[in-house]
Amino acid sequence: MVGTRRCVGTGLFLRDNHGPGDIRSCEAEYLADTFAQKAALLASTVHPASRDSVTLTDTLNRPLRDLRISVTDRCNFRCVYCMPKEVFGPDYAFLGRDEILTFEEITRLAQVFVAHGVGKIRLTGGEPLVRRDLHELVARLSSLPGLDLALTTNGSLLAQQAPALKKAGLTRVNVSLDSLDESVFQTMNGVGFSVARVLQGIEAAIAAGLGPVKVNMVVKRGLNDASILSMAGHFREMGCTLRFIEYMDVGHTNHWRMQEVLPAAEIVRRINAQWPLEPLAPNYPGEVAERWRYKDGRGEIGLVASVTKAFCRDCSRTRLSAEGKLYTCLFATRGHDLRSLLRDGASDEVLSSAIAGIWHRRADRYSELRSDKTSDLPKVEMSHIGG
Ligand code: SF4
């Protein structure tokens, strides 16, 4: 029974059976109350079945399978479609060290997600390799049972870090490269970084055993679409799967226009004219990239057609930002704060209920609903949650 006396430390009402000034037990009591209330609240929104079963499903019956973890909001590139330098300039307020999740906190959350059926974790950023000692986080996560641990990088630091990442347990990498033409690539990355150094990173990843390396190319009509055939030619020789990504209205700073989107169908048409292609079945439900193989057996390409062929129906992905907010869609306008639960000492059960509650209420299908009215929504920046 809560009494009328207040704790001198917290000002909270003391329970009748507490001695005066007994702060610690008072706060602990209060926090336990809060979590009990939170657990009860979240549990009330959780489908009874989910407390027992592993697989969580959302309002469109999509299971939670993939977690993308942004380990930093910082990047050493300023790609025009993601982090335009006019916005992300020298005075931009990036997250501070104490605002971002520690490796321990990330690992703890990852364990809860894995217990909920997540089988694949992809480390992203910003640029994940600018986060110091990332291999230590990889080592922690790679000990989680049955996990496919991947990473997406701009390749700038990969040559130095590939061996340590592999040794720590990383499974594979996707490397972003938008053109082999030096001036086009330097324009797109916004910092004058060279193609050769990214190619060195890809070579180092292959040599370290982080293959099959996939290469991501964002295609913006009028900027790098003339690079499609040279990129396809280069990477079919290297045995890397090249994934063409339609230019997207991510965030609200890249001044996206539909006219600058080159549809996936047009990309396929151009390549097919040079190297005949045939469609392939997806490797698994919810696979992001549409697969096409070269009829001459020289590998395959992928098309990520979020704008012209929305794939929300099978979307099983969620994203954790560097400061511990959970976003249920790449185009979300708000995230759910898990960090405060973590730092307030919440139990795994409370974290688990919170995540279950969030996913259960998920109804996102932005790409199916995209219109000229949606592109200016205050969507979270892609650099904040990873692509
Ligand atoms: S738009 Fe959102 S819901 Fe649709 S596929 Fe992308 S992340 Fe998933």
Coordinates of all heavy atoms in Angstrom, one line a residue, residues 154-244:
N154 N 30.1 1.1 -47.6 CA 30.5 1.8 -48.9 C 31.9 1.4 -49.3 O 32.4 1.9 -50.3 CB 30.4 3.3 -48.7 CG 31.4 3.8 -47.6 OD1 32.5 3.2 -47.3 ND2 31.2 5.0 -47.0
G155 N 32.5 0.4 -48.6 CA 33.7 -0.2 -49.1 C 35.0 0.6 -48.8 O 36.1 0.1 -49.0
S156 N 34.9 1.8 -48.3 CA 36.0 2.7 -48.2 C 37.0 2.2 -47.2 O 38.2 2.4 -47.3 CB 35.5 4.1 -47.7 OG 34.8 4.0 -46.5
L157 N 36.6 1.5 -46.1 CA 37.5 1.0 -45.1 C 37.6 -0.5 -45.1 O 38.1 -1.1 -44.2 CB 37.0 1.5 -43.7 CG 36.9 3.0 -43.6 CD1 36.1 3.4 -42.4 CD2 38.2 3.6 -43.6
L158 N 37.0 -1.2 -46.1 CA 36.9 -2.6 -46.1 C 38.2 -3.3 -46.3 O 38.5 -4.4 -45.7 CB 35.9 -3.0 -47.2 CG 35.3 -4.4 -47.3 CD1 34.8 -4.8 -45.9 CD2 34.3 -4.6 -48.4
A159 N 39.1 -2.7 -47.1 CA 40.4 -3.4 -47.4 C 41.1 -3.6 -46.0 O 41.7 -4.7 -45.8 CB 41.2 -2.6 -48.3
Q160 N 41.0 -2.6 -45.2 CA 41.7 -2.7 -43.9 C 41.0 -3.7 -42.9 O 41.7 -4.4 -42.1 CB 41.8 -1.3 -43.2 CG 42.5 -0.3 -44.0 CD 41.5 0.6 -44.7 OE1 40.7 0.0 -45.5 NE2 41.6 1.9 -44.6
Q161 N 39.7 -3.7 -43.0 CA 39.0 -4.4 -41.9 C 38.4 -5.8 -42.3 O 38.0 -6.5 -41.4 CB 37.8 -3.5 -41.4 CG 38.3 -2.2 -40.8 CD 37.1 -1.4 -40.2 OE1 36.2 -2.0 -39.6 NE2 37.2 -0.1 -40.2
A162 N 38.5 -6.1 -43.5 CA 37.8 -7.4 -44.0 C 38.4 -8.6 -43.2 O 37.6 -9.4 -42.6 CB 38.0 -7.6 -45.5
P163 N 39.7 -8.8 -43.1 CA 40.2 -10.0 -42.3 C 39.6 -10.1 -40.9 O 39.2 -11.1 -40.5 CB 41.7 -9.9 -42.4 CG 41.9 -9.0 -43.6 CD 40.8 -8.0 -43.6
A164 N 39.7 -9.0 -40.2 CA 39.2 -9.0 -38.8 C 37.7 -9.3 -38.7 O 37.3 -10.0 -37.8 CB 39.6 -7.7 -38.1
L165 N 37.0 -8.7 -39.6 CA 35.5 -8.9 -39.6 C 35.2 -10.4 -39.8 O 34.3 -11.0 -39.2 CB 34.8 -8.0 -40.6 CG 34.9 -6.5 -40.3 CD1 34.5 -5.8 -41.6 CD2 34.0 -6.2 -39.2
K166 N 35.9 -11.0 -40.8 CA 35.7 -12.4 -41.1 C 36.1 -13.3 -39.9 O 35.3 -14.1 -39.5 CB 36.5 -12.8 -42.3 CG 36.5 -14.3 -42.7 CD 35.1 -14.7 -43.1 CE 35.1 -16.2 -43.4 NZ 33.7 -16.7 -43.7
K167 N 37.2 -12.9 -39.3 CA 37.7 -13.7 -38.1 C 36.7 -13.6 -37.0 O 36.4 -14.6 -36.3 CB 39.1 -13.2 -37.7 CG 39.8 -14.0 -36.7 CD 41.3 -13.7 -36.8 CE 42.1 -14.3 -35.6 NZ 42.1 -13.4 -34.4
A168 N 36.0 -12.5 -36.9 CA 35.1 -12.2 -35.8 C 33.8 -12.9 -36.0 O 32.9 -13.0 -35.1 CB 34.8 -10.7 -35.6
G169 N 33.6 -13.4 -37.3 CA 32.3 -14.2 -37.5 C 31.4 -13.6 -38.5 O 30.2 -14.1 -38.7
L170 N 31.8 -12.5 -39.2 CA 30.9 -12.0 -40.2 C 30.7 -13.0 -41.3 O 31.7 -13.6 -41.7 CB 31.4 -10.6 -40.7 CG 30.5 -9.8 -41.6 CD1 29.3 -9.3 -40.9 CD2 31.3 -8.7 -42.3
T171 N 29.5 -13.1 -41.9 CA 29.2 -14.1 -42.9 C 29.5 -13.5 -44.3 O 30.2 -14.1 -45.1 CB 27.7 -14.5 -42.9 OG1 27.3 -14.6 -41.5 CG2 27.5 -15.8 -43.6
R172 N 28.9 -12.3 -44.6 CA 29.1 -11.7 -45.9 C 28.8 -10.2 -45.9 O 28.3 -9.7 -45.0 CB 28.1 -12.4 -46.9 CG 26.7 -12.4 -46.4 CD 25.9 -13.5 -47.1 NE 24.6 -13.6 -46.4 CZ 23.6 -12.7 -46.7 NH1 23.8 -11.8 -47.6 NH2 22.5 -12.8 -46.0
V173 N 29.2 -9.6 -47.1 CA 29.1 -8.2 -47.2 C 28.4 -7.8 -48.5 O 28.5 -8.4 -49.5 CB 30.4 -7.4 -47.1 CG1 31.1 -7.5 -45.7 CG2 31.4 -7.9 -48.2
N174 N 27.7 -6.6 -48.4 CA 27.2 -5.9 -49.6 C 28.0 -4.6 -49.7 O 28.1 -4.0 -48.6 CB 25.7 -5.6 -49.5 CG 24.8 -6.9 -49.7 OD1 25.3 -8.0 -49.5 ND2 23.6 -6.7 -50.1
V175 N 28.5 -4.3 -50.8 CA 29.3 -3.1 -51.0 C 28.6 -2.2 -52.0 O 28.2 -2.6 -53.0 CB 30.7 -3.4 -51.5 CG1 31.5 -2.1 -51.6 CG2 31.4 -4.4 -50.6
S176 N 28.4 -0.9 -51.6 CA 27.8 0.1 -52.4 C 28.8 0.7 -53.4 O 29.9 1.1 -53.0 CB 27.1 1.2 -51.6 OG 26.3 0.6 -50.6
L177 N 28.5 0.7 -54.7 CA 29.3 1.3 -55.7 C 28.4 1.8 -56.8 O 27.7 0.9 -57.4 CB 30.4 0.4 -56.2 CG 31.3 1.0 -57.3 CD1 32.1 2.2 -56.7 CD2 32.3 -0.1 -57.8
D178 N 28.3 3.1 -57.2 CA 27.3 3.5 -58.1 C 27.8 3.8 -59.5 O 27.0 4.1 -60.4 CB 26.7 4.8 -57.5 CG 26.0 4.6 -56.2 OD1 25.4 3.6 -56.0 OD2 26.2 5.4 -55.3
S179 N 29.1 3.6 -59.7 CA 29.6 3.8 -61.1 C 31.1 3.4 -61.1 O 31.8 3.5 -60.1 CB 29.5 5.2 -61.6 OG 30.0 5.3 -62.9
L180 N 31.6 3.0 -62.3 CA 33.1 2.8 -62.4 C 33.7 4.0 -63.0 O 34.9 4.1 -63.1 CB 33.3 1.5 -63.3 CG 32.9 0.2 -62.8 CD1 33.0 -0.9 -63.9 CD2 33.7 -0.2 -61.6
D181 N 32.9 5.0 -63.5 CA 33.4 6.2 -64.0 C 33.8 7.1 -62.9 O 32.9 7.5 -62.0 CB 32.2 6.9 -64.9 CG 32.6 8.2 -65.4 OD1 33.0 9.1 -64.6 OD2 32.6 8.3 -66.7
E182 N 35.0 7.5 -62.8 CA 35.6 8.2 -61.7 C 34.8 9.5 -61.4 O 34.4 9.7 -60.2 CB 37.0 8.5 -61.9 CG 37.8 8.9 -60.7 CD 38.0 7.8 -59.7 OE1 37.9 6.6 -60.0 OE2 38.1 8.2 -58.5
S183 N 34.5 10.3 -62.4 CA 33.9 11.6 -62.1 C 32.4 11.4 -61.7 O 32.0 12.1 -60.8 CB 34.0 12.5 -63.4 OG 33.2 11.8 -64.4
V184 N 31.8 10.4 -62.3 CA 30.4 10.1 -61.9 C 30.3 9.7 -60.5 O 29.6 10.2 -59.6 CB 29.7 9.1 -62.8 CG1 28.3 8.7 -62.3 CG2 29.6 9.6 -64.3
F185 N 31.2 8.7 -60.1 CA 31.2 8.2 -58.8 C 31.6 9.2 -57.7 O 30.9 9.4 -56.7 CB 32.2 7.0 -58.6 CG 32.2 6.4 -57.3 CD1 31.0 5.9 -56.7 CD2 33.4 6.2 -56.6 CE1 31.0 5.4 -55.4 CE2 33.4 5.7 -55.3 CZ 32.2 5.3 -54.7
Q186 N 32.5 10.1 -58.1 CA 32.9 11.1 -57.1 C 31.8 12.1 -56.9 O 31.6 12.6 -55.8 CB 34.2 11.8 -57.6 CG 35.4 10.8 -57.6 CD 36.7 11.5 -57.6 OE1 36.8 12.7 -57.6 NE2 37.8 10.7 -57.6
T187 N 31.1 12.4 -58.0 CA 29.9 13.3 -57.9 C 28.9 12.7 -57.0 O 28.3 13.3 -56.1 CB 29.3 13.5 -59.3 OG1 30.3 14.1 -60.1 CG2 28.1 14.5 -59.2
M188 N 28.6 11.4 -57.1 CA 27.6 10.7 -56.4 C 28.0 10.5 -54.9 O 27.1 10.6 -54.0 CB 27.2 9.4 -57.0 CG 26.5 9.5 -58.3 SD 25.7 8.0 -58.9 CE 24.2 8.0 -57.9
N189 N 29.2 10.2 -54.6 CA 29.6 10.0 -53.2 C 29.9 11.3 -52.5 O 30.0 11.4 -51.3 CB 30.8 9.0 -53.1 CG 32.1 9.5 -53.6 OD1 32.5 10.6 -53.3 ND2 32.8 8.7 -54.4
G190 N 29.9 12.4 -53.2 CA 30.0 13.7 -52.6 C 31.3 14.1 -51.9 O 31.4 15.2 -51.3
V191 N 32.3 13.2 -51.9 CA 33.5 13.5 -51.2 C 34.7 13.2 -52.0 O 35.9 13.1 -51.5 CB 33.6 12.7 -49.8 CG1 32.6 13.2 -48.9 CG2 33.5 11.2 -50.1
G192 N 34.5 12.9 -53.3 CA 35.6 12.7 -54.2 C 36.4 11.4 -54.0 O 37.6 11.3 -54.3
F193 N 35.7 10.4 -53.4 CA 36.4 9.1 -53.1 C 36.5 8.3 -54.4 O 35.6 8.3 -55.2 CB 35.5 8.3 -52.1 CG 36.3 7.2 -51.3 CD1 37.1 7.6 -50.2 CD2 36.4 5.9 -51.8 CE1 37.8 6.6 -49.5 CE2 37.2 5.0 -51.2 CZ 37.9 5.3 -50.0
S194 N 37.6 7.6 -54.5 CA 37.9 6.9 -55.8 C 37.3 5.5 -55.9 O 37.2 4.8 -55.0 CB 39.4 6.8 -56.0 OG 39.9 5.7 -55.2
V195 N 37.0 5.2 -57.2 CA 36.5 3.9 -57.5 C 37.5 2.8 -57.1 O 37.1 1.8 -56.5 CB 36.2 3.8 -59.0 CG1 35.8 2.4 -59.4 CG2 35.1 4.8 -59.4
A196 N 38.8 3.1 -57.4 CA 39.8 2.0 -57.2 C 39.8 1.6 -55.8 O 40.0 0.4 -55.5 CB 41.2 2.6 -57.6
R197 N 39.7 2.5 -54.8 CA 39.8 2.1 -53.4 C 38.6 1.2 -53.0 O 38.7 0.4 -52.2 CB 39.9 3.3 -52.5 CG 41.3 4.0 -52.7 CD 41.5 5.2 -51.9 NE 41.4 4.9 -50.5 CZ 41.3 5.9 -49.6 NH1 41.2 7.2 -50.0 NH2 41.3 5.6 -48.3
V198 N 37.4 1.5 -53.6 CA 36.2 0.7 -53.3 C 36.5 -0.7 -53.9 O 36.2 -1.8 -53.3 CB 34.9 1.3 -53.8 CG1 33.8 0.3 -53.6 CG2 34.7 2.6 -53.2
L199 N 37.0 -0.8 -55.1 CA 37.3 -2.1 -55.8 C 38.3 -2.9 -54.9 O 38.2 -4.1 -54.8 CB 37.7 -1.9 -57.2 CG 36.7 -1.3 -58.2 CD1 37.3 -1.1 -59.5 CD2 35.5 -2.3 -58.3
Q200 N 39.3 -2.2 -54.4 CA 40.2 -2.8 -53.5 C 39.5 -3.4 -52.3 O 39.8 -4.6 -51.9 CB 41.3 -1.8 -53.0 CG 42.4 -1.5 -53.9 CD 43.1 -0.2 -53.5 OE1 43.0 0.3 -52.4 NE2 43.9 0.3 -54.4
G201 N 38.5 -2.7 -51.8 CA 37.8 -3.2 -50.6 C 37.0 -4.5 -51.0 O 37.0 -5.5 -50.2
I202 N 36.4 -4.5 -52.2 CA 35.7 -5.7 -52.7 C 36.6 -6.9 -52.8 O 36.3 -8.0 -52.4 CB 34.9 -5.4 -54.0 CG1 33.9 -4.3 -53.8 CG2 34.3 -6.6 -54.6 CD1 33.2 -3.8 -55.0
E203 N 37.8 -6.6 -53.4 CA 38.8 -7.7 -53.6 C 39.2 -8.2 -52.2 O 39.3 -9.5 -52.0 CB 40.0 -7.1 -54.3 CG 39.8 -6.5 -55.7 CD 39.8 -7.6 -56.8 OE1 40.0 -8.8 -56.5 OE2 39.6 -7.2 -58.0
A204 N 39.4 -7.3 -51.3 CA 39.8 -7.8 -49.9 C 38.7 -8.6 -49.3 O 39.0 -9.6 -48.6 CB 40.1 -6.5 -49.1
A205 N 37.5 -8.2 -49.5 CA 36.4 -9.0 -48.9 C 36.3 -10.4 -49.5 O 36.2 -11.4 -48.8 CB 35.1 -8.3 -49.1
I206 N 36.5 -10.5 -50.8 CA 36.5 -11.8 -51.5 C 37.7 -12.6 -50.9 O 37.5 -13.8 -50.6 CB 36.6 -11.6 -53.0 CG1 35.3 -10.9 -53.5 CG2 36.8 -13.0 -53.7 CD1 35.4 -10.5 -55.0
A207 N 38.9 -12.0 -50.9 CA 40.1 -12.7 -50.4 C 39.9 -13.2 -48.9 O 40.4 -14.3 -48.6 CB 41.3 -11.8 -50.5
A208 N 39.2 -12.4 -48.2 CA 39.0 -12.8 -46.7 C 37.9 -13.8 -46.6 O 37.7 -14.3 -45.4 CB 38.6 -11.5 -45.9
G209 N 37.2 -14.2 -47.6 CA 36.1 -15.2 -47.5 C 34.8 -14.6 -47.1 O 33.9 -15.3 -46.6
L210 N 34.6 -13.3 -47.4 CA 33.3 -12.7 -47.0 C 32.3 -12.7 -48.2 O 31.4 -12.0 -48.3 CB 33.5 -11.3 -46.6 CG 34.1 -11.1 -45.2 CD1 34.5 -9.7 -44.9 CD2 33.2 -11.6 -44.1
G211 N 32.6 -13.6 -49.2 CA 31.8 -13.7 -50.4 C 30.6 -14.6 -50.2 O 30.5 -15.2 -49.1
P212 N 29.7 -14.8 -51.1 CA 29.7 -14.0 -52.4 C 29.4 -12.6 -52.1 O 28.4 -12.3 -51.5 CB 28.6 -14.7 -53.2 CG 27.7 -15.3 -52.2 CD 28.5 -15.7 -51.1
V213 N 30.2 -11.7 -52.6 CA 30.0 -10.3 -52.3 C 29.0 -9.8 -53.3 O 29.0 -10.1 -54.5 CB 31.3 -9.5 -52.6 CG1 31.1 -8.0 -52.6 CG2 32.4 -9.9 -51.5
K214 N 28.0 -9.0 -52.8 CA 27.0 -8.4 -53.6 C 27.3 -6.9 -53.7 O 27.8 -6.3 -52.7 CB 25.6 -8.6 -53.0 CG 25.1 -10.0 -53.1 CD 23.7 -10.2 -52.5 CE 23.2 -11.6 -52.6 NZ 21.9 -11.8 -51.9
V215 N 27.1 -6.3 -54.9 CA 27.4 -4.9 -55.1 C 26.1 -4.2 -55.3 O 25.3 -4.6 -56.1 CB 28.4 -4.7 -56.2 CG1 28.6 -3.2 -56.5 CG2 29.7 -5.4 -56.0
N216 N 25.9 -3.1 -54.5 CA 24.6 -2.3 -54.6 C 24.9 -1.1 -55.4 O 25.8 -0.3 -55.1 CB 24.1 -1.9 -53.2 CG 23.7 -3.1 -52.4 OD1 23.4 -4.2 -52.9 ND2 23.5 -2.8 -51.1
M217 N 24.1 -0.9 -56.5 CA 24.2 0.4 -57.3 C 22.9 1.1 -57.3 O 21.9 0.5 -57.8 CB 24.6 0.0 -58.7 CG 24.6 1.2 -59.7 SD 24.9 0.6 -61.4 CE 24.9 2.2 -62.3
V218 N 22.8 2.3 -56.7 CA 21.6 3.1 -56.8 C 21.6 3.8 -58.2 O 22.6 4.4 -58.5 CB 21.5 4.1 -55.7 CG1 20.4 5.1 -55.9 CG2 21.4 3.4 -54.3
V219 N 20.6 3.6 -59.0 CA 20.5 4.2 -60.3 C 19.6 5.4 -60.3 O 18.5 5.4 -60.0 CB 20.0 3.2 -61.3 CG1 20.0 3.8 -62.7 CG2 20.8 1.9 -61.3
K220 N 20.3 6.6 -60.6 CA 19.5 7.8 -60.7 C 19.6 8.3 -62.2 O 20.6 8.5 -62.7 CB 20.1 8.9 -59.8 CG 19.3 10.2 -59.7 CD 19.9 11.2 -58.7 CE 19.1 12.4 -58.7 NZ 19.6 13.5 -57.7
R221 N 18.4 8.4 -62.8 CA 18.3 8.7 -64.2 C 19.0 10.1 -64.5 O 18.8 11.0 -63.7 CB 16.9 8.8 -64.7 CG 16.7 8.9 -66.2 CD 15.3 9.4 -66.5 NE 14.2 8.4 -66.3 CZ 13.8 7.5 -67.2 NH1 14.5 7.4 -68.4 NH2 12.8 6.7 -66.9
G222 N 19.8 10.1 -65.5 CA 20.5 11.4 -65.8 C 21.8 11.6 -65.0 O 22.5 12.5 -65.3
L223 N 22.1 10.7 -64.1 CA 23.3 10.9 -63.3 C 24.2 9.7 -63.5 O 25.4 9.9 -64.0 CB 23.0 11.1 -61.8 CG 24.2 11.4 -60.9 CD1 24.9 12.6 -61.4 CD2 23.7 11.6 -59.4
N224 N 23.8 8.5 -63.3 CA 24.7 7.4 -63.5 C 24.1 6.2 -64.3 O 24.7 5.1 -64.3 CB 25.2 6.8 -62.1 CG 24.0 6.2 -61.3 OD1 22.9 6.6 -61.5 ND2 24.4 5.3 -60.4
D225 N 22.9 6.4 -64.9 CA 22.3 5.3 -65.6 C 23.2 4.9 -66.8 O 23.1 3.7 -67.3 CB 20.9 5.6 -66.0 CG 20.7 6.8 -66.9 OD1 21.1 7.9 -66.5 OD2 20.3 6.6 -68.1
A226 N 24.0 5.8 -67.3 CA 24.9 5.4 -68.4 C 26.0 4.5 -68.0 O 26.7 3.9 -68.8 CB 25.5 6.7 -69.0
S227 N 26.1 4.3 -66.7 CA 27.1 3.3 -66.1 C 26.6 1.9 -66.0 O 27.4 1.0 -65.6 CB 27.6 3.8 -64.7 OG 28.1 5.1 -64.8
I228 N 25.3 1.7 -66.3 CA 24.7 0.4 -66.0 C 25.5 -0.8 -66.7 O 25.9 -1.8 -66.1 CB 23.2 0.4 -66.4 CG1 22.4 1.2 -65.5 CG2 22.7 -1.0 -66.5 CD1 21.0 1.5 -65.9
L229 N 25.8 -0.6 -68.0 CA 26.4 -1.7 -68.8 C 27.8 -1.9 -68.4 O 28.3 -3.1 -68.2 CB 26.3 -1.4 -70.3 CG 24.8 -1.5 -70.8 CD1 24.8 -1.3 -72.3 CD2 24.2 -2.8 -70.5
S230 N 28.6 -0.9 -68.1 CA 30.0 -1.1 -67.7 C 30.0 -1.8 -66.3 O 30.8 -2.7 -66.1 CB 30.7 0.2 -67.6 OG 30.0 1.1 -66.8
M231 N 29.1 -1.4 -65.4 CA 29.0 -2.0 -64.1 C 28.7 -3.5 -64.3 O 29.3 -4.4 -63.7 CB 28.0 -1.3 -63.2 CG 28.5 0.0 -62.7 SD 29.6 -0.1 -61.3 CE 28.4 -0.6 -60.0
A232 N 27.6 -3.8 -65.1 CA 27.2 -5.2 -65.3 C 28.3 -6.0 -65.9 O 28.6 -7.1 -65.4 CB 26.0 -5.2 -66.2
G233 N 29.0 -5.4 -66.9 CA 30.1 -6.2 -67.5 C 31.2 -6.5 -66.5 O 31.7 -7.6 -66.5
H234 N 31.6 -5.5 -65.7 CA 32.7 -5.7 -64.8 C 32.4 -6.8 -63.7 O 33.2 -7.6 -63.5 CB 33.0 -4.3 -64.1 CG 34.1 -4.4 -63.1 ND1 35.4 -4.2 -63.5 CD2 34.2 -4.7 -61.8 CE1 36.3 -4.3 -62.5 NE2 35.5 -4.6 -61.4
F235 N 31.2 -6.7 -63.1 CA 30.9 -7.6 -62.0 C 30.4 -9.0 -62.5 O 30.6 -9.9 -61.7 CB 29.9 -6.9 -61.0 CG 30.6 -5.8 -60.3 CD1 30.3 -4.5 -60.5 CD2 31.6 -6.1 -59.3 CE1 31.0 -3.5 -59.9 CE2 32.3 -5.1 -58.7 CZ 32.0 -3.8 -58.9
R236 N 30.0 -9.1 -63.7 CA 29.7 -10.5 -64.1 C 31.0 -11.2 -64.3 O 31.2 -12.4 -64.1 CB 28.8 -10.6 -65.4 CG 29.3 -9.9 -66.6 CD 28.3 -9.9 -67.7 NE 28.8 -10.7 -68.8 CZ 28.2 -11.8 -69.3 NH1 27.0 -12.1 -69.0 NH2 28.8 -12.5 -70.3
E237 N 32.1 -10.5 -64.7 CA 33.4 -11.1 -64.9 C 34.0 -11.4 -63.5 O 34.7 -12.4 -63.3 CB 34.4 -10.1 -65.6 CG 34.0 -9.8 -67.0 CD 33.8 -11.1 -67.8 OE1 34.6 -12.0 -67.6 OE2 32.8 -11.1 -68.6
M238 N 33.7 -10.6 -62.5 CA 34.2 -10.8 -61.1 C 33.4 -11.9 -60.4 O 33.8 -12.3 -59.3 CB 34.2 -9.5 -60.3 CG 35.4 -8.7 -60.4 SD 35.3 -7.3 -59.2 CE 35.9 -8.2 -57.7
G239 N 32.2 -12.3 -60.9 CA 31.4 -13.3 -60.2 C 30.7 -12.7 -59.0 O 30.3 -13.4 -58.1
C240 N 30.5 -11.3 -59.0 CA 29.7 -10.7 -57.9 C 28.3 -10.4 -58.4 O 28.2 -10.0 -59.6 CB 30.4 -9.3 -57.5 SG 32.0 -9.5 -56.8
T241 N 27.3 -10.6 -57.6 CA 26.0 -10.2 -57.9 C 25.8 -8.7 -57.8 O 26.0 -8.2 -56.7 CB 25.0 -11.0 -57.0 OG1 25.1 -12.4 -57.2 CG2 23.5 -10.6 -57.4
L242 N 25.5 -8.1 -58.9 CA 25.2 -6.7 -58.9 C 23.7 -6.4 -58.7 O 22.9 -7.0 -59.5 CB 25.7 -6.1 -60.3 CG 25.5 -4.6 -60.5 CD1 26.2 -3.8 -59.4 CD2 26.1 -4.2 -61.9
R243 N 23.4 -5.6 -57.7 CA 22.0 -5.3 -57.4 C 21.7 -3.9 -57.8 O 22.4 -3.0 -57.3 CB 21.7 -5.6 -56.0 CG 22.0 -7.0 -55.5 CD 22.2 -7.1 -54.1 NE 21.0 -7.3 -53.4 CZ 20.5 -6.5 -52.4 NH1 21.1 -5.4 -52.2 NH2 19.3 -6.8 -51.8
F244 N 20.8 -3.7 -58.7 CA 20.4 -2.3 -59.1 C 19.2 -1.8 -58.2 O 18.2 -2.5 -58.1 CB 20.0 -2.3 -60.6 CG 21.1 -2.7 -61.5 CD1 21.2 -4.0 -61.9 CD2 22.0 -1.8 -62.0 CE1 22.2 -4.4 -62.8 CE2 23.1 -2.2 -62.8 CZ 23.2 -3.5 -63.2

